[in-house]
Amino acid sequence: MEVSFSRLQIIFLLLLSLGISNHVLIIPHLLKAAGRDAWISILLAYVGLIVWSLILYWILKSMSTLSFQSWIEGRIGKIGFNVIGGGFALYLLVAGMMIVFDTTKNVNIYFLPRTASAIVILSFIFLAYCAARGGLKTIVYMSTVLLPVVWILGIGVAVMTTNSKDYGMLQPILAEGIGPDLRGIVVVFGGSIDLMVLLLLQHKLKKPLNYSTIFVLLTLLVGLIMGPTIGSLASFGPIQAENFRFPAFEQWRLVMIGRHISHVDFFAAFQLMAGSIVRTALIIYFLAQLIGRGSEKYSQTIMICITVVISIPSLLMISDISMQAFIHRYFYTYSLWFGVAITAILFMITYMPHRREEAQ
């Protein structure tokens, strides 16, 4: 019997899996692109994302209880699904490589600098693979348990670093013109295209999504970018915040509990690992669903292959500077164009009649 999930469970899943991207992956590139005006870029991108989410909702409404594959094949055939599904698979593959690379790099830099990188990478990817192999039920239940703890810790670091922040550093705005803000909008919008995974999840819900759920989820995800971005700018200033590899993590180093307790940044490690394992497991699961359609044994083989492939950039010890330069120059721009293009194609498909209806 196939398990179905509530809207709240899916919100928990996506807040943890997509939220870690907003915390770890997006913010360094956003600060580099927009500097002091990063928070302005987030507000402007949010307006555009609301419009985009309305189109996404229209597509989800057209799908109703059908799976993504069944909906597309019912309108444009298997070849059409292979093309669109292949685009999704490529996007998820790159996203998987990025989260494995950034997570293991963070652990190596801050916590285990003397431990061989291969050990960190293999340990992390093994945990993610085990979660993915357990299926979507395992990943969802992990999220519902872990997210409340991660959320409390996030609120805690924001409150405990209040005295270290100077919000005057957020001004003046537009000091360098509109150019940095536009570059920042591309990063935020391109990074938020992850929300399209709803297309792969809706048929697993007890009830189809309504727009209020999508709006709340989008708002919370944008808030996960806004909070640490403003916190980094107010704590360190735009120049220093831009130079940090993981700005959100650095805020944990400002935390003091009383007069004698500091160095509590191991809580950040918990946040990082909770979100990264769930995100990586979800990506492996989705890729196996898109590519490994067939017997159970074939699907498991595909899942192992995917796990190996997304680990390759990390295992090859690719330069972190080269990797971040590639992501900054290309990933968010192409991610934005991919999201816009695929949304436009799917929106047009909603107006195509179902082939069975044509036959009648």
Side-chain angles (χ1 to χ4, degrees):
M1 182 178 177
E2 189 173 358
V3 179
S4 56
F5 306 99
S6 67
R7 293 170 182 170
L8 183 60
Q9 286 175 315
I10 294 302
I11 288 177
F12 272 49
L13 171 67
L14 295 182
L15 282 177
L16 193 55
S17 61
L18 306 189
I20 195 65
S21 171
N22 294 6
H23 255 63
V24 177
L25 300 182
I26 292 178
I27 293 176
H29 300 284
L30 173 60
L31 290 170
K32 186 175 180 180
R36 193 191 304 272
D37 284 352
W39 64 282
I40 299 293
S41 297
I42 297 170
L43 291 175
L44 296 175
Y46 179 53
V47 176
L49 285 166
I50 290 175
V51 176
W52 173 74
S53 68
L54 288 168
I55 302 172
L56 179 63
Y57 170 66
W58 183 266
I59 297 167
L60 290 165
K61 187 177 180 181
S62 176
M63 290 173 59
S64 186
T65 57
L66 291 174
S67 69
F68 186 60
Q69 178 181 352
S70 300
W71 180 71
I72 292 180
E73 288 184 354
R75 284 164 170 76
I76 59 176
K78 291 185 177 181
I79 295 177
F81 172 75
N82 288 335
V83 173
I84 295 173
F88 261 104
L90 180 60
Y91 173 80
L92 290 171
L93 195 66
V94 176
M97 291 177 179
M98 286 170 55
I99 191 63
V100 173
F101 187 93
D102 266 37
T103 301
T104 54
K105 184 63 66 177
N106 182 295
V107 172
N108 271 134
I109 291 172
Y110 292 106
F111 298 103
L112 300 173
R114 297 183 181 180
T115 302
S117 297
I119 294 176
V120 175
I121 296 163
L122 293 174
S123 300
F124 171 76
I125 202 67
F126 176 73
L127 290 173
Y129 167 74
C130 289
R133 187 177 181 183
L136 188 59
K137 180 180 177 180
T138 299
I139 303 172
V140 170
Y141 288 0
M142 282 176 59
S143 301
T144 56
V145 172
L146 293 171
L147 181 65
V149 181
V150 170
W151 198 278
I152 290 170
L153 290 173
I155 294 172
V157 69
V159 172
M160 288 185 285
T161 56
T162 301
N163 294 333
S164 303
K165 294 172 182 175
D166 176 8
Y167 292 99
M169 293 187 184
L170 301 179
Q171 297 176 341
I173 63 173
L174 300 176
E176 298 183 19
I178 194 66
D181 299 74
L182 294 176
R183 291 192 293 272
I185 290 171
V186 171
V187 173
V188 176
F189 209 119
S192 300
I193 293 300
D194 279 355
L195 196 58
M196 292 187 73
V197 298
L198 285 171
L199 297 168
L200 306 177
L201 278 172
Q202 179 168 257
H203 68 287
K204 299 286 188 180
L205 280 92
K206 295 174 182 176
K207 296 180 181 179
L209 289 166
N210 52 30
Y211 182 70
S212 60
T213 302
I214 297 174
F215 177 78
V216 168
L217 180 58
L218 175 64
T219 301
L220 290 173
L221 288 171
V222 171
L224 288 174
I225 308 175
M226 180 68 84
T229 298
I230 289 180
S232 297
L233 290 170
S235 298
F236 308 112
I239 297 175
Q240 188 60 45
E242 180 183 331
N243 290 331
F244 283 136
R245 178 65 176 83
F246 298 101
F249 179 86
E250 295 292 343
Q251 292 179 59
W252 274 100
R253 298 195 162 187
L254 301 176
V255 174
M256 287 284 295
I257 302 176
R259 298 177 60 183
H260 305 290
I261 301 176
S262 60
H263 296 293
V264 293
D265 42 13
F266 57 87
F267 286 127
F270 175 84
Q271 288 181 302
L272 174 70
M273 295 306 294
S276 296
I277 288 174
V278 168
R279 179 176 174 81
T280 308
L282 193 63
I283 288 173
I284 294 171
Y285 173 82
F286 281 147
L287 283 169
Q289 293 294 306
L290 288 169
I291 301 171
R293 301 187 302 275
S295 66
E296 181 67 22
K297 185 176 181 181
Y298 176 72
S299 297
Q300 290 298 326
T301 302
I302 290 296
M303 194 173 286
I304 293 172
C305 293
I306 292 166
T307 304
V308 172
V309 171
I310 64 175
S311 307
I312 288 175
S314 302
L315 291 171
L316 290 178
M317 308 300 175
I318 293 176
S319 165
D320 186 46
I321 295 175
S322 300
M323 186 73 167
Q324 297 312 308
F326 168 80
I327 293 171
H328 189 77
R329 292 175 187 171
Y330 303 109
F331 176 76
Y332 291 109
T333 301
Y334 285 112
S335 176
L336 171 60
W337 286 113
F338 166 75
V340 170
I342 206 75
T343 303
I345 292 169
L346 295 176
F347 182 71
M348 289 187 287
I349 290 175
T350 63
Y351 290 96
M352 296 181 180
H354 198 279
R355 292 188 170 193
R356 291 180 182 175
E357 294 176 2
E358 286 184 331
Q360 292 175 356

